[in-house]
Amino acid sequence: MSTEFDIRFAIDPAGAAGMGTAELRENFLIDDLFADGAVRWTYTHYDRMAVGGAVPTSGELALEAIKPTGTANFLDRRELIAVNIGDAGAITVDGSAHAVGSRDMLYVGMGAKDVRFSGAGAKFYLLSAPAHASHPTTLLQQSGAKRLDMGSAETANERSIYQYTNSLKSCQLVVGLTQFAPGSVWNTMPAHVHDRRMEAYLYFDLKPDAFVVHLMGEPDETRHMIVRNEQAILSPPWSIHAGAGTGSYTFIWAMAGDNIDYTDAEKVPMEELR
């Protein structure tokens, strides 16, 4: 079978505060997203976001329905964004082929029936959330994304944020990519939470012996996890989501929930973190 899935239930702040390393990793870390010749999903109970990976090593991989969606086709009541973090590939949507280069994203709206991934060397990171309307299939490229340069070398967080979906009409999905300047390793610090929506992080471009120390938890009850190349983190609405790497890296952030406004974050003063 080329499609696999697991389910993650929502964890409350008190439950997370009592977890050890193994429990935190079991509930919040996705360490097996990408498998050759397979589509793998983690279906979450955070805003019903589904996080997946598709690696079409030869031939095509189809976007097949999974039991948690409760529909005949995966996108009958959902929308999808596929991000290519590998070599150039293609995604065919109901017979129309779309070339998806490295770091390109393809938005596929609700109602698409036949979605297929192809390209030896391509590696697609998949994000899906429930939808209430059908919007057109749209190719999103890094060159066309809204770029925000933030941070500084002095605070080791000089970075460029690419808001791919800034001009896209979607129901819930908001997706972007963050790249760091040489010597910078800190992301999203000062930390924040956004109570109205969850977030998922995919860390990649890490060397084999490198990792990110990802910080999560309530601001006054933080926890950490070691995250390696091409592993993803689920971040509940009540949790901060920040981290620092042992070397350079890139991450893709994706959100779903009640509010798609980028400015709705509730900043946490540095002195309040514990």
Side-chain angles (χ1 to χ4, degrees):
M1 183 177 180
S2 61
T3 299
E4 307 164 7
F5 72 90
D6 70 346
I7 297 173
R8 301 287 179 94
F9 292 98
I11 304 297
D12 68 278
M19 290 181 177
T21 299
E23 290 175 293
L24 288 170
R25 293 175 69 86
E26 181 180 353
N27 284 281
F28 300 105
L29 177 69
I30 309 173
D31 61 2
D32 57 355
L33 267 176
F34 301 104
D36 289 350
V39 178
R40 285 186 170 175
W41 285 105
T42 294
Y43 180 92
T44 85
H45 285 263
Y46 301 107
D47 297 322
R48 307 292 173 173
M49 172 80 94
V51 179
V55 187
T57 50
S58 61
E60 294 182 327
L61 285 175
L63 180 65
E64 300 174 333
I66 57 175
K67 185 178 180 180
T69 66
T71 53
N73 302 288
F74 191 95
L75 295 178
D76 282 351
R77 294 199 298 267
R78 291 184 153 264
E79 59 187 355
L80 171 79
I81 287 180
V83 189
N84 187 5
I85 65 168
D87 298 332
I91 303 175
T92 302
V93 181
D94 290 336
S96 296
H98 303 268
V100 183
S102 181
R103 305 202 182 197
D104 289 352
M105 304 186 184
L106 188 73
Y107 172 86
V108 184
M110 182 182 74
K113 303 298 184 187
D114 185 12
V115 179
R116 297 178 181 272
F117 307 97
S118 61
K123 187 176 290 185
F124 297 101
Y125 177 49
L126 309 177
L127 299 148
S128 178
H132 61 271
S134 180
H135 300 300
T137 296
T138 305
L139 180 66
L140 306 165
Q141 297 177 303
Q142 188 171 20
S143 60
K146 180 180 179 180
R147 175 175 170 172
L148 301 174
D149 294 320
M150 302 182 70
S152 68
E154 289 75 18
T155 50
N157 67 348
E158 187 177 0
R159 64 202 188 276
S160 296
I161 299 172
Y162 295 86
Q163 297 177 345
Y164 280 70
T165 54
N166 189 65
S167 60
L168 176 74
K169 189 170 181 60
S170 69
C171 295
Q172 286 198 78
L173 283 175
V174 176
V175 182
L177 180 148
T178 298
Q179 288 180 316
F180 290 88
S184 285
V185 294
W186 271 103
N187 77 73
T188 324
M189 186 63 72
H192 66 267
V193 295
H194 26 70
D195 185 66
R196 291 176 293 280
R197 48 188 165 90
M198 65 82 69
E199 190 158 1
Y201 271 40
L202 174 72
Y203 292 105
F204 68 109
D205 284 348
L206 283 152
K207 294 180 179 179
D209 60 347
F211 57 80
V212 173
V213 180
H214 179 87
L215 302 178
M216 63 161 292
E218 292 183 287
D220 61 351
E221 190 74 41
T222 60
R223 297 292 185 269
H224 80 272
M225 279 181 285
I226 301 299
V227 185
R228 300 189 184 275
N229 190 47
E230 297 183 358
Q231 295 182 344
I233 287 284
L234 301 176
S235 182
W238 48 263
S239 176
I240 67 167
H241 34 282
T246 60
S248 63
Y249 62 100
T250 305
F251 68 88
I252 294 168
W253 41 270
M255 299 174 282
D258 285 340
N259 194 331
I260 61 173
D261 184 353
Y262 288 104
T263 63
D264 75 339
E266 300 170 23
K267 295 181 180 179
V268 179
M270 295 287 275
E271 61 271 18
E272 291 186 11
L273 289 175
R274 297 288 186 271

Coordinates of all heavy atoms in Angstrom, one line a residue, residues 141-213:
Q141 N 5.4 30.4 -6.2 CA 6.8 30.3 -6.3 C 7.5 31.3 -5.3 O 7.0 32.3 -5.0 CB 7.3 30.6 -7.7 CG 6.8 29.6 -8.7 CD 7.2 29.9 -10.1 OE1 6.9 31.0 -10.6 NE2 7.9 29.0 -10.8
Q142 N 8.7 30.9 -4.8 CA 9.4 31.7 -3.9 C 9.7 33.1 -4.5 O 9.6 34.1 -3.7 CB 10.7 31.1 -3.5 CG 11.5 31.8 -2.4 CD 12.6 31.0 -1.8 OE1 13.2 30.1 -2.5 NE2 13.1 31.3 -0.6
S143 N 9.9 33.2 -5.7 CA 10.2 34.5 -6.4 C 9.0 35.4 -6.3 O 9.2 36.6 -6.4 CB 10.7 34.3 -7.8 OG 9.7 33.6 -8.6
G144 N 7.8 34.9 -6.2 CA 6.6 35.7 -6.2 C 6.0 35.9 -4.8 O 5.0 36.6 -4.6
A145 N 6.7 35.3 -3.8 CA 6.2 35.4 -2.4 C 6.5 36.8 -1.8 O 7.5 37.4 -2.2 CB 6.8 34.3 -1.6
K146 N 5.7 37.2 -0.9 CA 6.0 38.5 -0.2 C 7.2 38.2 0.8 O 7.1 37.3 1.6 CB 4.8 38.9 0.6 CG 5.0 40.2 1.4 CD 3.8 40.6 2.1 CE 4.0 41.9 2.9 NZ 2.8 42.3 3.7
R147 N 8.3 39.0 0.7 CA 9.5 38.8 1.5 C 9.6 39.8 2.6 O 9.4 41.0 2.3 CB 10.7 38.8 0.6 CG 12.0 38.7 1.4 CD 13.2 38.6 0.4 NE 14.5 38.7 1.2 CZ 15.7 38.5 0.6 NH1 15.8 38.2 -0.6 NH2 16.7 38.7 1.4
L148 N 9.8 39.3 3.8 CA 10.0 40.2 4.9 C 11.4 39.9 5.5 O 11.6 38.7 5.9 CB 8.9 40.0 6.0 CG 7.5 40.3 5.6 CD1 6.6 39.9 6.7 CD2 7.3 41.7 5.2
D149 N 12.3 40.8 5.6 CA 13.6 40.6 6.2 C 13.5 41.1 7.7 O 13.2 42.3 7.9 CB 14.7 41.4 5.4 CG 14.9 40.8 4.0 OD1 14.8 39.6 3.9 OD2 15.0 41.6 3.1
M150 N 13.9 40.2 8.6 CA 13.7 40.5 10.0 C 14.9 40.1 10.8 O 15.8 39.3 10.3 CB 12.5 39.8 10.6 CG 11.2 40.2 9.8 SD 9.7 39.4 10.5 CE 9.6 40.2 12.1
G151 N 15.0 40.5 12.1 CA 16.1 40.1 13.0 C 17.4 40.8 12.6 O 17.5 41.7 11.8
S152 N 18.5 40.4 13.3 CA 19.8 41.0 13.1 C 20.9 40.0 13.5 O 20.6 39.0 14.1 CB 19.9 42.2 14.1 OG 20.0 41.8 15.4
A153 N 22.1 40.2 13.0 CA 23.2 39.4 13.3 C 23.5 39.4 14.8 O 24.0 38.4 15.3 CB 24.4 39.8 12.4
E154 N 23.3 40.5 15.4 CA 23.6 40.7 16.8 C 22.8 39.7 17.7 O 23.3 39.3 18.7 CB 23.4 42.1 17.3 CG 24.4 43.1 16.7 CD 24.2 43.4 15.3 OE1 23.1 43.2 14.7 OE2 25.2 44.0 14.6
T155 N 21.6 39.5 17.3 CA 20.7 38.6 18.1 C 20.6 37.2 17.4 O 19.8 36.4 17.8 CB 19.3 39.2 18.2 OG1 18.8 39.6 16.9 CG2 19.4 40.4 19.2
A156 N 21.4 36.9 16.4 CA 21.5 35.6 15.8 C 20.2 35.2 15.2 O 20.0 34.0 15.1 CB 22.1 34.5 16.7
N157 N 19.4 36.1 14.7 CA 18.1 35.7 14.1 C 17.8 36.5 12.8 O 16.7 36.8 12.5 CB 17.0 35.9 15.1 CG 16.7 37.4 15.5 OD1 17.5 38.3 15.2 ND2 15.6 37.6 16.2
E158 N 18.9 36.9 12.1 CA 18.7 37.5 10.8 C 18.1 36.6 9.8 O 18.7 35.5 9.5 CB 20.0 38.1 10.3 CG 19.9 39.0 9.1 CD 21.2 39.5 8.6 OE1 22.2 39.3 9.3 OE2 21.2 40.3 7.6
R159 N 16.9 36.9 9.3 CA 16.2 35.9 8.5 C 15.3 36.5 7.5 O 14.9 37.7 7.6 CB 15.4 34.9 9.4 CG 14.3 35.6 10.2 CD 13.9 34.8 11.4 NE 12.7 35.4 12.1 CZ 12.7 36.3 12.9 NH1 13.8 36.9 13.3 NH2 11.6 36.7 13.5
S160 N 14.9 35.8 6.4 CA 14.0 36.2 5.4 C 12.8 35.3 5.5 O 12.9 34.1 5.4 CB 14.6 36.2 4.0 OG 15.7 37.1 3.9
I161 N 11.6 36.0 5.6 CA 10.3 35.2 5.7 C 9.6 35.4 4.4 O 9.4 36.5 3.9 CB 9.5 35.8 6.9 CG1 10.2 35.6 8.2 CG2 8.1 35.1 6.9 CD1 9.5 36.2 9.4
Y162 N 9.2 34.3 3.8 CA 8.5 34.3 2.5 C 7.1 33.9 2.7 O 6.8 32.7 3.1 CB 9.2 33.4 1.5 CG 10.6 33.8 1.1 CD1 11.7 33.4 1.9 CD2 10.8 34.6 0.0 CE1 13.0 33.8 1.5 CE2 12.1 35.0 -0.4 CZ 13.2 34.6 0.4 OH 14.4 35.0 0.1
Q163 N 6.2 34.8 2.6 CA 4.7 34.6 2.7 C 4.1 34.2 1.4 O 3.6 35.0 0.6 CB 4.0 35.8 3.3 CG 4.5 36.2 4.7 CD 3.9 37.4 5.2 OE1 3.2 38.2 4.5 NE2 4.0 37.7 6.5
Y164 N 4.2 32.9 1.1 CA 3.7 32.4 -0.2 C 2.2 32.6 -0.4 O 1.8 32.9 -1.5 CB 4.0 30.9 -0.3 CG 5.4 30.5 -0.6 CD1 6.4 30.6 0.3 CD2 5.7 29.9 -1.9 CE1 7.7 30.2 0.0 CE2 7.0 29.5 -2.2 CZ 8.0 29.7 -1.3 OH 9.3 29.2 -1.6
T165 N 1.4 32.4 0.6 CA 0.0 32.5 0.4 C -0.6 33.9 0.7 O -1.8 34.0 0.8 CB -0.7 31.5 1.4 OG1 -0.3 31.7 2.7 CG2 -0.4 30.0 0.9
N166 N 0.3 34.9 0.7 CA -0.2 36.2 1.0 C -1.3 36.7 0.1 O -2.2 37.4 0.5 CB 1.0 37.2 1.0 CG 0.6 38.6 1.5 OD1 0.3 38.7 2.7 ND2 0.7 39.6 0.7
S167 N -1.1 36.4 -1.2 CA -2.1 36.8 -2.2 C -3.1 35.7 -2.7 O -3.8 35.9 -3.6 CB -1.4 37.4 -3.4 OG -0.5 36.4 -4.0
L168 N -3.0 34.6 -2.0 CA -3.8 33.4 -2.4 C -5.1 33.4 -1.7 O -5.2 33.7 -0.5 CB -3.1 32.1 -2.1 CG -3.8 30.8 -2.4 CD1 -3.9 30.6 -3.9 CD2 -3.2 29.7 -1.7
K169 N -6.2 33.1 -2.3 CA -7.5 33.0 -1.7 C -7.6 31.5 -1.3 O -7.7 30.6 -2.1 CB -8.6 33.4 -2.6 CG -10.0 33.4 -1.9 CD -11.0 34.1 -2.8 CE -12.4 34.2 -2.0 NZ -12.3 35.0 -0.8
S170 N -7.5 31.2 0.0 CA -7.7 29.9 0.6 C -8.8 29.9 1.6 O -9.2 31.0 2.1 CB -6.4 29.3 1.1 OG -6.0 30.0 2.3
C171 N -9.2 28.8 2.1 CA -10.2 28.7 3.2 C -9.5 28.9 4.5 O -10.0 29.7 5.3 CB -11.0 27.4 3.1 SG -12.0 27.3 1.6
Q172 N -8.5 28.1 4.7 CA -7.8 28.2 6.0 C -6.3 28.2 5.9 O -5.6 28.8 6.8 CB -8.1 26.9 6.8 CG -9.5 26.8 7.5 CD -9.5 25.8 8.6 OE1 -9.0 26.0 9.7 NE2 -10.0 24.6 8.3
L173 N -5.7 27.5 4.9 CA -4.3 27.3 4.9 C -3.5 28.5 4.7 O -3.8 29.3 3.8 CB -4.0 26.3 3.8 CG -4.2 24.8 4.1 CD1 -4.0 23.9 2.9 CD2 -3.4 24.3 5.3
V174 N -2.5 28.7 5.5 CA -1.5 29.8 5.4 C -0.2 29.1 5.5 O 0.1 28.5 6.5 CB -1.7 30.9 6.5 CG1 -0.6 31.9 6.4 CG2 -3.1 31.5 6.4
V175 N 0.7 29.3 4.5 CA 2.0 28.6 4.4 C 3.1 29.5 4.0 O 2.8 30.4 3.2 CB 1.9 27.4 3.5 CG1 3.2 26.6 3.5 CG2 0.7 26.4 3.8
G176 N 4.2 29.4 4.6 CA 5.4 30.2 4.2 C 6.7 29.5 4.5 O 6.7 28.4 5.0
L177 N 7.8 30.1 4.2 CA 9.1 29.6 4.4 C 10.0 30.6 5.0 O 9.9 31.8 4.6 CB 9.6 29.1 3.0 CG 11.0 28.4 2.9 CD1 11.0 27.4 1.8 CD2 12.1 29.5 2.6
T178 N 10.9 30.2 5.9 CA 11.9 31.1 6.5 C 13.3 30.6 6.3 O 13.6 29.4 6.5 CB 11.6 31.2 8.0 OG1 10.3 31.7 8.2 CG2 12.6 32.1 8.7
Q179 N 14.2 31.5 5.8 CA 15.6 31.2 5.6 C 16.4 32.1 6.4 O 16.1 33.2 6.6 CB 15.9 31.4 4.1 CG 15.4 30.4 3.1 CD 15.8 30.7 1.7 OE1 15.8 31.8 1.3 NE2 16.2 29.6 1.0
F180 N 17.6 31.6 6.9 CA 18.4 32.3 7.8 C 19.7 32.8 7.1 O 20.2 32.2 6.2 CB 18.8 31.5 9.0 CG 17.7 31.2 9.9 CD1 16.9 30.1 9.7 CD2 17.4 32.0 11.0 CE1 15.8 29.9 10.5 CE2 16.3 31.8 11.8 CZ 15.5 30.7 11.6
A181 N 20.1 34.0 7.5 CA 21.4 34.5 7.0 C 22.5 33.7 7.7 O 22.4 33.1 8.7 CB 21.5 36.0 7.4
P182 N 23.7 33.6 7.0 CA 24.8 32.9 7.6 C 25.1 33.4 9.0 O 25.2 34.6 9.3 CB 26.0 33.2 6.7 CG 25.3 33.5 5.3 CD 24.0 34.2 5.7
G183 N 25.3 32.4 9.9 CA 25.6 32.7 11.3 C 24.4 33.0 12.2 O 24.5 33.0 13.4
S184 N 23.2 33.0 11.6 CA 21.9 33.2 12.4 C 21.3 31.8 12.6 O 21.2 31.0 11.6 CB 21.0 34.2 11.8 OG 21.5 35.5 11.9
V185 N 20.7 31.6 13.8 CA 20.1 30.3 14.1 C 18.8 30.3 14.8 O 18.1 29.3 14.9 CB 21.1 29.4 14.9 CG1 22.4 29.0 14.1 CG2 21.5 30.1 16.2
W186 N 18.5 31.5 15.4 CA 17.3 31.6 16.3 C 16.1 31.9 15.4 O 16.1 32.8 14.6 CB 17.4 32.7 17.3 CG 18.1 32.2 18.6 CD1 19.3 32.4 19.0 CD2 17.4 31.5 19.6 NE1 19.5 31.8 20.2 CE2 18.4 31.2 20.6 CE3 16.1 30.9 19.8 CZ2 18.1 30.5 21.8 CZ3 15.9 30.2 20.9 CH2 16.8 30.0 21.9
N187 N 15.0 31.2 15.6 CA 13.7 31.5 14.9 C 12.6 31.9 15.9 O 12.5 31.3 17.0 CB 13.3 30.3 14.0 CG 12.6 29.2 14.7 OD1 11.5 29.3 15.2 ND2 13.3 28.1 14.8
T188 N 11.9 32.9 15.5 CA 10.7 33.3 16.2 C 11.0 33.6 17.7 O 10.3 33.1 18.5 CB 9.5 32.3 16.0 OG1 9.6 31.7 14.8 CG2 8.2 33.0 16.2
M189 N 11.9 34.5 17.9 CA 12.3 34.9 19.3 C 12.5 36.4 19.2 O 13.3 36.9 18.4 CB 13.5 34.2 19.8 CG 13.8 34.4 21.2 SD 12.5 33.9 22.4 CE 12.7 32.1 22.3
P190 N 11.7 37.2 20.0 CA 10.8 36.8 21.1 C 9.7 35.9 20.6 O 9.2 36.0 19.5 CB 10.2 38.1 21.6 CG 11.2 39.2 21.2 CD 11.8 38.7 19.9
A191 N 9.3 35.0 21.5 CA 8.3 34.0 21.2 C 6.9 34.6 21.1 O 6.6 35.7 21.6 CB 8.3 32.9 22.2
H192 N 5.9 33.8 20.6 CA 4.5 34.3 20.6 C 3.6 33.0 20.6 O 4.1 31.9 20.3 CB 4.2 35.2 19.4 CG 4.3 34.5 18.1 ND1 5.5 34.5 17.3 CD2 3.5 33.7 17.3 CE1 5.3 33.8 16.2 NE2 4.1 33.3 16.2
V193 N 2.4 33.3 20.8 CA 1.3 32.2 20.6 C 0.2 32.9 19.8 O 0.2 34.1 19.6 CB 0.7 31.8 22.0 CG1 1.8 31.0 22.8 CG2 0.1 32.9 22.7
H194 N -0.6 32.0 19.1 CA -1.8 32.6 18.5 C -2.9 31.6 18.8 O -3.0 30.5 18.2 CB -1.6 32.8 17.0 CG -0.6 32.0 16.3 ND1 -0.7 30.6 16.1 CD2 0.6 32.3 15.7 CE1 0.3 30.2 15.4 NE2 1.2 31.2 15.2
D195 N -3.7 32.0 19.7 CA -4.7 31.2 20.4 C -5.8 30.7 19.4 O -6.4 29.7 19.7 CB -5.4 32.0 21.5 CG -6.4 31.3 22.3 OD1 -5.9 30.3 23.0 OD2 -7.6 31.6 22.2
R196 N -5.9 31.3 18.2 CA -7.0 30.9 17.3 C -6.6 29.9 16.2 O -7.4 29.6 15.4 CB -7.6 32.2 16.6 CG -8.3 33.1 17.6 CD -8.8 34.4 17.0 NE -7.7 35.2 16.6 CZ -7.0 36.0 17.5 NH1 -7.4 36.0 18.7 NH2 -6.0 36.8 17.1
R197 N -5.3 29.5 16.2 CA -4.9 28.6 15.1 C -3.6 27.8 15.5 O -2.8 28.3 16.2 CB -4.6 29.4 13.8 CG -3.8 30.6 14.0 CD -3.8 31.4 12.6 NE -3.3 32.7 12.8 CZ -2.0 33.1 12.7 NH1 -1.1 32.2 12.4 NH2 -1.6 34.3 12.8
M198 N -3.6 26.6 15.0 CA -2.4 25.7 15.3 C -1.4 26.1 14.2 O -1.6 26.8 13.3 CB -2.8 24.3 15.2 CG -3.3 23.8 13.8 SD -2.1 23.4 12.6 CE -1.4 21.9 13.4
E199 N -0.2 25.4 14.4 CA 0.9 25.6 13.4 C 1.7 24.3 13.3 O 1.8 23.5 14.3 CB 1.8 26.8 13.8 CG 2.8 27.2 12.8 CD 3.3 28.6 12.9 OE1 2.9 29.3 13.9 OE2 4.1 29.1 12.1
A200 N 2.2 24.1 12.1 CA 3.1 22.9 11.9 C 4.4 23.5 11.3 O 4.4 24.4 10.5 CB 2.5 21.9 11.0
Y201 N 5.5 22.9 11.8 CA 6.8 23.3 11.3 C 7.5 22.1 10.7 O 7.5 21.0 11.3 CB 7.7 23.7 12.5 CG 7.7 25.2 13.0 CD1 6.5 25.9 13.0 CD2 8.8 25.8 13.4 CE1 6.4 27.2 13.4 CE2 8.8 27.2 13.8 CZ 7.6 27.8 13.8 OH 7.6 29.1 14.2
L202 N 8.1 22.3 9.5 CA 9.0 21.3 8.9 C 10.4 21.9 8.9 O 10.6 23.0 8.2 CB 8.6 20.9 7.5 CG 9.6 20.0 6.8 CD1 9.5 18.6 7.4 CD2 9.3 20.0 5.3
Y203 N 11.4 21.3 9.6 CA 12.8 21.8 9.5 C 13.5 21.0 8.5 O 13.4 19.7 8.5 CB 13.4 21.5 10.9 CG 12.9 22.5 12.0 CD1 12.0 22.0 13.0 CD2 13.3 23.8 12.1 CE1 11.6 22.8 14.0 CE2 12.8 24.6 13.1 CZ 11.9 24.1 14.0 OH 11.5 24.9 15.0
F204 N 14.2 21.6 7.6 CA 15.0 20.9 6.6 C 16.3 21.7 6.2 O 16.5 22.8 6.9 CB 14.2 20.6 5.4 CG 13.7 21.7 4.5 CD1 14.2 22.0 3.3 CD2 12.7 22.6 5.0 CE1 13.8 23.0 2.5 CE2 12.3 23.6 4.2 CZ 12.8 23.9 3.0
D205 N 17.0 21.2 5.3 CA 18.3 21.8 4.9 C 19.3 21.7 6.0 O 20.3 22.5 6.1 CB 18.2 23.3 4.5 CG 17.7 23.4 3.1 OD1 17.6 22.4 2.4 OD2 17.3 24.6 2.7
L206 N 19.1 20.7 7.0 CA 20.1 20.5 8.0 C 21.1 19.5 7.6 O 20.7 18.5 7.0 CB 19.3 20.0 9.3 CG 18.5 21.0 10.1 CD1 17.4 20.4 10.8 CD2 19.5 21.7 11.1
K207 N 22.3 19.6 8.0 CA 23.3 18.6 7.8 C 23.1 17.4 8.6 O 22.4 17.5 9.7 CB 24.7 19.2 8.1 CG 25.1 20.3 7.1 CD 26.5 20.9 7.4 CE 26.9 22.0 6.4 NZ 28.2 22.5 6.7
P208 N 23.6 16.2 8.3 CA 23.3 15.0 9.0 C 23.6 15.0 10.5 O 22.9 14.4 11.3 CB 24.2 13.9 8.3 CG 24.4 14.5 6.9 CD 24.4 16.0 7.0
D209 N 24.6 15.8 10.9 CA 25.0 15.8 12.3 C 24.4 17.0 13.0 O 24.8 17.3 14.2 CB 26.5 15.8 12.5 CG 27.2 16.9 11.8 OD1 26.6 17.6 11.0 OD2 28.4 17.1 12.1
A210 N 23.5 17.8 12.4 CA 23.0 19.0 12.9 C 21.5 18.7 13.4 O 20.9 17.8 13.0 CB 23.0 20.1 11.9
F211 N 21.1 19.6 14.3 CA 19.7 19.5 14.8 C 19.2 20.9 15.2 O 20.0 21.9 15.4 CB 19.5 18.5 15.9 CG 20.4 18.7 17.1 CD1 20.0 19.6 18.1 CD2 21.5 18.0 17.3 CE1 20.8 19.8 19.2 CE2 22.3 18.1 18.4 CZ 22.0 19.1 19.4
V212 N 17.9 21.0 15.4 CA 17.3 22.2 16.0 C 16.8 21.9 17.4 O 16.1 20.8 17.6 CB 16.1 22.7 15.1 CG1 15.4 23.9 15.8 CG2 16.7 23.2 13.8
V213 N 17.0 22.7 18.4 CA 16.4 22.6 19.7 C 15.1 23.4 19.6 O 15.1 24.6 19.6 CB 17.3 23.1 20.8 CG1 16.6 23.0 22.1 CG2 18.6 22.4 20.8

